[in-house]
Each structure stands twice: as structure tokens, then as C-alpha cells.
Amino acid sequence: AQSVTQLDSHVSVSEGTPVLLRCNYSSSYSPSLFWYVQHPNKGLQLLLKYTSAATLVKGINGFEAEFKKSETSFHLTKPSAHMSDAAEYFCVVGGQGGKLIFGQGTELSVKP
Amino acid sequence: EAGVAQSPRYKIIEKRQSVAFWCNPISGHATLYWYQQILGQGPKLLIQFQNNGVVDDSQLPKDRFSAERLKGVDSTLKIQPAKLEDSAVYLCASSFLDSPSGSGYTFGSGTRLTVV
């Protein structure tokens, strides 16, 4: 069975400082992993995805994530936070049959 | 390309009433999903269709929830009777039939249900 654990329910950073959102996964086979973002009252937007190609995945808006099989991690990073990055972020693993299994979410706050 | 359309956008009902949500997926997407997102949690799959057949409804509370996709295109999710704990955002998503595990999803904006 697949599952994801987001290690922080809330992360607060200052504008211009790095962002790190942590995610560990569990999967009985080589997983597909995703990060989605959800702005208030908006739909889910795909940031990036890992599907067994390069382990360092670049996404939209300057975000990237690194797949580390030995650590079963897929942490999301960004070198410099922007106010518009404030949102809820979900780490997601692809399950059998194409369904998505979401983590609990990490709320990112960005202070001026 | 048009996105996944959902309606209504918001709905407020009293407990024990019934409610229905509608979803129109992206044209050509054979697979359609309904997810429930309770406040403060990640979305959880309720039901998955492939064309007009059910692939996975193991998490659907079948005593009160039902869903159909009669012509393999749009879909309706119904709750009857609603309970307070059904308050959530109901998200519809679609993907191509041959999308790799979890890839190629497009989500709709969701229907926010409040049960009072």
C-alpha cells in the first residue's frame, strides 16, 4: 500500500528566504510522486511530478523536489520565497489504478 | 482546452436533506474521479470511473453516497441524507485512460458543501 507523511503541518518563512517542505513516502513499488499547491478558494494545481526519470525534478514557479529512495523522501524546496507562495501544499503518491493518495498538507506562510 | 467543470460552486443544506453535484470532465478523458476534502485534510478518493464503469468505490459511504456516469462523460455525485460530517469540498478530476499512475490529472475547482 502507498502512503505519504508530511512532516510539518505549518511552515513560516520570510520573503526571500529558502523554503523546505518535507515529505516521506511509503510504497511497495517504484512510486510516482507529486507536489500540488492549493491557494485559498482555488483548485489544486500541479507543481511538479516524479515518474522514475531524473531524481531532481523542476516544477513551476521555481520549485523543485529531489527523490531520495534511500531516505524514502521527496522534499520540496525553493531558493527564495515570494509572498504569492503562501498556500497549502500537498505531497501525493500515485496509487494503483491511477488514484492519488494525498498527505495531510503543509500550510506555508510567507512574512514580509 | 476547457478544464474540468463542476457545479454548483457552493451549497448549504440542512442535515438529512439531499444534494447532488455535477462534473463534466475534459473531453477525451476516460477516467473520472471524485475526491472529498474535509477542512484541514488532504483530498480522499471517493470513487473512480473508467468510461461508465466503476473501478474503485471502496471509500464511498454507500449507505448515503451514490455516483453515476451513465454515458461515460459527465458524472453526478449524490448525498442522501446528508450529515454534518459531510461538510467538505468535493473535487472532480479526470485523466486519460493510459495516464501513468497518477499522472495527467486535471482537477475541477470543487463544490464547497456546508451541512448545518
Side-chain angles (χ1 to χ4, degrees):
Chain A
Q2 290 77 37
S3 66
V4 289
T5 302
Q6 292 184 245
L7 301 174
D8 307 290
S9 59
H10 185 256
V11 170
S12 181
V13 301
S14 297
E15 190 173 23
T17 64
V19 175
L20 170 63
L21 305 183
R22 299 181 296 163
C23 172
N24 286 350
Y25 71 90
S26 174
S27 179
S28 52
Y29 51 82
S30 183
S32 295
L33 293 162
F34 311 83
W35 277 97
Y36 277 82
V37 62
Q38 188 175 41
H39 288 92
N41 298 314
K42 296 284 181 66
L44 285 161
Q45 182 183 20
L46 179 66
L47 276 179
L48 50 81
K49 63 182 179 183
Y50 167 78
T51 53
S52 72
T55 57
L56 183 61
V57 182
K58 294 188 184 298
I60 61 172
N61 300 333
F63 285 94
E64 62 182 38
E66 186 171 8
F67 172 72
K68 292 187 176 180
K69 186 176 180 179
S70 60
E71 299 176 10
T72 61
S73 69
F74 191 58
H75 301 333
L76 182 70
T77 60
K78 183 174 181 178
S80 176
H82 192 273
M83 295 296 293
S84 61
D85 294 328
E88 188 86 17
Y89 290 80
F90 293 98
C91 183
V92 183
V93 64
Q96 279 189 314
K99 71 179 182 182
L100 297 181
I101 299 161
F102 285 76
Q104 289 289 91
T106 298
E107 183 183 358
L108 176 65
S109 299
V110 183
K111 298 175 289 187
Chain B
E1 173 182 82
V4 175
Q6 289 190 247
S7 67
R9 192 79 171 87
Y10 304 93
K11 191 74 177 178
I12 300 174
I13 62 171
E14 295 182 350
K15 59 183 179 183
R16 292 188 289 274
Q17 286 187 323
S18 62
V19 65
F21 314 127
W22 175 82
C23 171
N24 190 30
I26 288 177
S27 178
H29 279 192
T31 309
L32 184 148
Y33 312 81
W34 283 101
Y35 283 80
Q36 179 193 55
Q37 185 178 15
I38 293 172
L39 185 66
Q41 299 181 18
K44 181 186 75 174
L45 179 70
L46 289 176
I47 188 167
Q48 176 184 350
F49 291 95
Q50 199 157 285
N51 296 309
N52 61 349
V54 175
V55 174
D56 183 350
D57 64 356
S58 57
Q59 298 297 307
L60 188 73
K62 297 180 186 64
D63 58 334
R64 297 183 301 106
F65 286 65
S66 64
E68 60 184 15
R69 194 185 183 199
L70 292 176
K71 297 182 180 179
V73 180
D74 56 350
S75 175
T76 304
L77 176 69
K78 297 179 181 177
I79 308 175
Q80 182 179 16
K83 293 185 175 181
L84 295 176
E85 59 260 37
D86 298 332
S87 294
V89 176
Y90 291 85
L91 295 164
C92 181
S94 67
S95 68
F96 285 110
L97 182 61
D98 57 353
S99 295
S101 178
S103 289
Y105 263 62
T106 301
F107 279 90
S109 297
T111 295
R112 183 178 297 275
L113 173 67
T114 302
V115 183
V116 298

